[in-house]
Amino acid sequence: MADNKDGKRRLRSREWFDSKSDPTMTALYLERYMNFGLTLAELRSGKPIIGIAQTGSDLSPCNRHHVDLAWRTRDGIRDAGGIPIEFPVHPIQETGKRPTAALDRNLAYLSLVESLYGYFFDGVVLTTGCDKTTPAMLMGAATVDIPAIVLSGGPMLDGHFGGGLAGSGTIVWYAREELAAGRIDMEQFIEMVASSAPSVGHCNTMGTALSMNSMAEALGMSLTGCAAIPGPYKQRGQMAYETGRRIVEMVWEDLRPSKILTRAAFDNAIVAASALGASTNCPPHVNAIARHAGVDLVNADWDKRGYDIPLLVNCMPAGKYLGEAFYRAGGVPAVMAELLAHGKLRGEAMTVTGKTMEENLAAAPRADGEVIKPYDRPMLNQAGFAVLSGNLFDSAIMKTSVISPEFRAKYLERKGDPDAFEGTAIVFEGPEDYHHRINDPSLPIDENSILFIRNAGPVGYPGAAEVVNMLPPDRLVKGGVLLLPCVGDGRQSGTSASPSILNASPEAAVGGGLALLKTGDRVRIDIARRTANIMIPETELAARKAAWKPNVVESQTPWQELQRKFVGQLASGACLDFAVNYQRIDETKGIPRHSH
């Protein structure tokens, strides 16, 4: 765009509100945006118009406090010389939406793209919190490529129950075991789970919400220290103010996502995810952001770049603390500083501060040694994601930071065959089938079984459900067997400590190897060799494949049908595959045509 007389670039919003080429349209745009109190002088002032992409609402409790934080964001925008315009984003609430919130990530992405491109914004503050809101916002901002910055909502305060910490989601899995063993009843189960949500904010564990907001900071898309501030803390409102100020500066600097979301940024995110003990939902979401940013990133990169990174953060589900302790110990900057000091980060990566990641971390707090461990004294030496392939799938991931000593001793320390295990497959056709049959006494499940769940992926569910972490039958739980290996083409909550193999791609619904598996088949999982195979002859496998027919599930809404038609697999980010062809559209497509 052409520069103004003061040397600053001509703002995008001037094409709406101060265009001399078409007085009729300029007047039309101006008059309606004055009817709630904005003045003609404001709209024609040449000040940047900044969108606040509002993901908070009564329907989205994890992000609800963004409704209030927006006022501090507005203050920051105004004080820096901008004009704030708040607008709604399609709601995504992980714990409320059926059939799954993952279905709506791409829908929220599409709505954000249309809002950012079709209206007069010069820059945008992306409000994030609950799991899918963070990738949806970053995917949309990357696609349009106007200056953008992430404002996280932060985790809830720590929950407490029975004298101990109660972590969001994590306590669900513990309570399930207690219920299955008969030590608590249904009402006690509900009371126990509800204790983990004591305030506004998203999950207080290192679940998908805190993981993905940490990814936004690791990618350089939020101000340093933003991710971990608990939602109710005063520092959260202060961060909202500073974020509002900074986005105005970014507009004048023309600092866009394309200058930040580079390969160096994504390498840093992978390394940070391993050190944090982050959610298994990070690979598909971060891969999706990368695709929309035009950066080549695949599952294999998570193994190659991040597998050998140690676990530094002692937070549930891989540790014992929660969000408040993580923030007080230094949060993401303290973790990143440890990684940078040991040569594991690309310090040259640009960030929304206008400085490099290395410059941002110069004043980062040191690891406290308890919640955040020093690099040379970690909780675990290798904490990354193992990426497996074989005749069961082309790609699936296993989170190694939550492999317990008991699981490792039973399945991964066999004499003469370390880091591998074999078992008999028990196959479930989705979560309903699992819940219906898991306690069927005729089902041949024992401690040598491997539980499989299929038809739970982006197409089959639809949207990919968090159902892979399956509890053994009650009779095994009562006997002390609390965990069996689980494999599936769905996802798993980031709050779960189950070392499942999940995100299997291609999924069963499109003919992936899981579709050919039968209960009773022997299966071998070899983590050392990164393989997962049905142990049957190739001729038998080929015969099953020839006989396979898709299990067509009727869509319940128009969006479900569209999603099923165009969505890709989890390994490639479960994007709408046609949408990744649209990149940097503010630059490549220009200003949209007039509306009248």
Side-chain angles (χ1 to χ4, degrees):
M1 295 182 180
D3 287 344
N4 286 328
K5 292 179 181 179
D6 61 4
K8 292 182 178 179
R9 69 187 189 89
R10 181 173 174 82
L11 297 174
R12 191 172 181 270
S13 57
R14 303 297 291 277
E15 300 300 322
W16 274 259
F17 297 136
D18 196 32
S19 175
K20 306 298 191 294
S21 62
D22 193 332
T24 300
M25 289 309 305
T26 297
L28 184 64
Y29 295 133
L30 282 166
E31 59 93 11
R32 204 49 55 97
Y33 283 97
M34 296 170 62
N35 75 357
F36 62 94
L38 285 174
T39 67
L40 188 64
E42 285 176 294
L43 292 171
R44 303 187 74 190
S45 66
K47 294 179 178 180
I49 295 182
I50 307 297
I52 301 175
Q54 181 57 267
T55 58
S57 70
D58 290 353
L59 200 58
S60 303
C62 291
N63 291 30
R64 175 63 177 76
H65 57 305
H66 271 303
V67 174
D68 300 317
L69 285 172
W71 289 104
R72 289 301 288 145
T73 308
R74 286 172 177 269
D75 291 342
I77 292 168
R78 282 283 182 184
D79 285 356
I83 299 173
I85 298 286
E86 189 174 347
F87 65 96
V89 175
H90 179 81
I92 317 176
Q93 177 56 37
E94 190 66 33
T95 55
K97 177 65 195 295
R98 295 185 181 188
T100 169
L103 183 69
D104 283 11
R105 188 201 69 180
N106 290 338
L107 185 56
Y109 153 77
L110 289 174
S111 74
L112 181 63
V113 168
E114 291 303 313
S115 295
L116 294 184
Y117 182 61
Y119 288 89
F120 38 72
F121 298 116
D122 298 306
V124 63
V125 175
L126 308 168
T127 65
T128 67
C130 191
D131 301 14
K132 312 301 181 295
T133 59
T134 306
M137 297 298 95
L138 285 169
M139 290 158 60
T143 296
V144 181
D145 200 33
I146 63 172
I149 188 170
V150 167
L151 174 64
S152 303
M156 294 181 286
L157 300 178
D158 292 358
H160 295 86
F161 185 86
L165 289 172
S168 318
T170 298
I171 198 170
V172 175
W173 322 125
Y174 172 71
R176 282 201 312 182
E177 295 171 1
E178 294 293 288
L179 184 64
R183 290 188 286 268
I184 61 173
D185 60 23
M186 183 64 177
E187 290 305 311
Q188 291 171 312
F189 177 89
I190 293 173
E191 180 184 358
M192 185 181 295
V193 173
S195 70
S196 68
S199 73
V200 299
H202 58 63
C203 286
N204 49 29
T205 47
M206 189 59 71
T208 305
L210 185 51
S211 295
M212 280 308 302
N213 285 280
S214 296
M215 291 297 93
E217 186 172 331
L219 285 166
M221 285 298 295
S222 62
L223 294 180
T224 306
C226 178
I229 304 168
Y233 278 26
K234 66 181 181 182
Q235 290 89 343
R236 180 52 66 190
Q238 293 166 351
M239 181 60 73
Y241 176 80
E242 294 299 335
T243 298
R245 288 189 61 87
R246 180 58 193 151
I247 186 58
V248 177
E249 297 167 349
M250 289 175 65
V251 169
W252 291 124
E253 294 166 11
D254 197 24
L255 184 52
R256 301 168 182 248
S258 58
K259 299 177 181 179
I260 298 167
L261 295 175
T262 62
R263 179 59 196 233
F266 287 101
D267 283 350
N268 288 345
I270 290 173
V271 171
S274 298
L276 289 162
S279 166
T280 52
N281 285 309
C282 288
H285 289 326
V286 174
N287 289 357
I289 297 165
R291 288 188 72 192
H292 286 290
V295 175
D296 184 21
L297 193 73
V298 295
N299 267 359
D301 293 320
W302 289 79
D303 197 321
K304 180 179 179 180
R305 177 85 177 154
Y307 182 79
D308 290 327
I309 298 298
L311 177 64
L312 303 184
V313 178
N314 187 8
C315 278
M316 298 181 191
K320 66 179 184 179
Y321 293 103
L322 294 174
E324 284 191 84
F326 177 54
Y327 168 66
R328 291 178 181 276
V332 176
V335 177
M336 300 283 280
E338 282 294 312
L339 295 169
L340 180 67
H342 288 80
K344 301 302 179 182
L345 286 188
R346 297 184 62 177
E348 78 276 14
M350 179 53 62
T351 74
V352 292
T353 67
K355 300 177 181 178
T356 65
M357 182 62 71
E358 183 173 7
E359 290 174 307
N360 289 346
L361 296 175
R366 296 179 62 87
D368 70 322
E370 176 59 24
V371 182
I372 299 175
K373 304 289 186 179
Y375 190 92
D376 55 2
R377 287 186 282 114
M379 293 185 65
L380 191 68
N381 289 325
Q382 294 175 315
F385 298 105
V387 179
L388 286 69
S389 62
N391 62 22
L392 277 167
F393 37 71
D394 293 342
S395 180
I397 63 172
M398 184 178 191
K399 181 178 176 179
T400 61
S401 63
V402 292
I403 297 177
S404 66
E406 295 79 13
F407 187 95
R408 185 170 296 280
K410 180 171 177 57
Y411 297 106
L412 300 177
E413 293 179 352
R414 299 193 308 169
K415 188 176 181 179
D417 194 17
D419 290 327
F421 59 93
E422 297 178 6
T424 302
I426 305 293
V427 183
F428 297 101
E429 306 291 345
E432 295 84 2
D433 184 39
Y434 161 75
H435 289 297
H436 179 67
R437 292 196 297 129
I438 186 62
N439 286 312
D440 185 341
S442 66
L443 199 61
I445 302 179
D446 60 26
E447 61 181 14
N448 297 309
S449 299
I450 303 176
L451 305 183
F452 285 84
I453 192 165
R454 62 190 178 198
N455 299 313
V459 175
Y461 202 72
E466 294 186 330
V467 295
V468 179
N469 48 327
M470 296 170 281
L471 195 67
D474 291 355
R475 58 183 173 81
L476 290 185
V477 173
K478 291 175 181 177
V481 179
L482 304 180
L483 199 64
L484 289 174
C486 298
V487 184
D489 55 10
R491 298 177 300 110
Q492 176 172 294
S493 172
T495 65
S496 173
S498 173
S500 307
I501 297 168
L502 39 87
N503 299 1
S505 303
E507 62 184 295
V510 298
L514 286 180
L516 312 180
L517 185 66
K518 294 181 179 180
T519 291
D521 285 343
R522 291 289 293 175
V523 170
R524 177 176 173 82
I525 307 294
D526 193 326
I527 298 173
R529 294 179 173 82
R530 302 293 198 269
T531 58
N533 290 294
I534 317 172
M535 300 170 68
I536 59 174
E538 287 295 326
T539 53
E540 169 64 15
L541 193 65
R544 292 185 188 183
K545 191 167 187 175
W548 177 80
K549 294 181 181 179
N551 178 28
V552 179
V553 179
E554 182 181 4
S555 292
Q556 298 163 309
T557 66
W559 171 238
Q560 286 185 19
E561 182 176 343
L562 278 172
Q563 167 92 351
R564 278 191 161 112
K565 183 176 181 181
F566 294 110
V567 73
Q569 292 295 293
L570 286 169
S572 58
C575 302
L576 300 172
D577 283 337
F578 72 89
V580 300
N581 296 318
Y582 292 82
Q583 295 177 2
R584 301 183 303 282
I585 61 176
D586 179 54
E587 173 190 348
T588 60
K589 304 298 183 183
I591 298 295
R593 299 167 71 179
H594 283 303
S595 61
H596 289 71

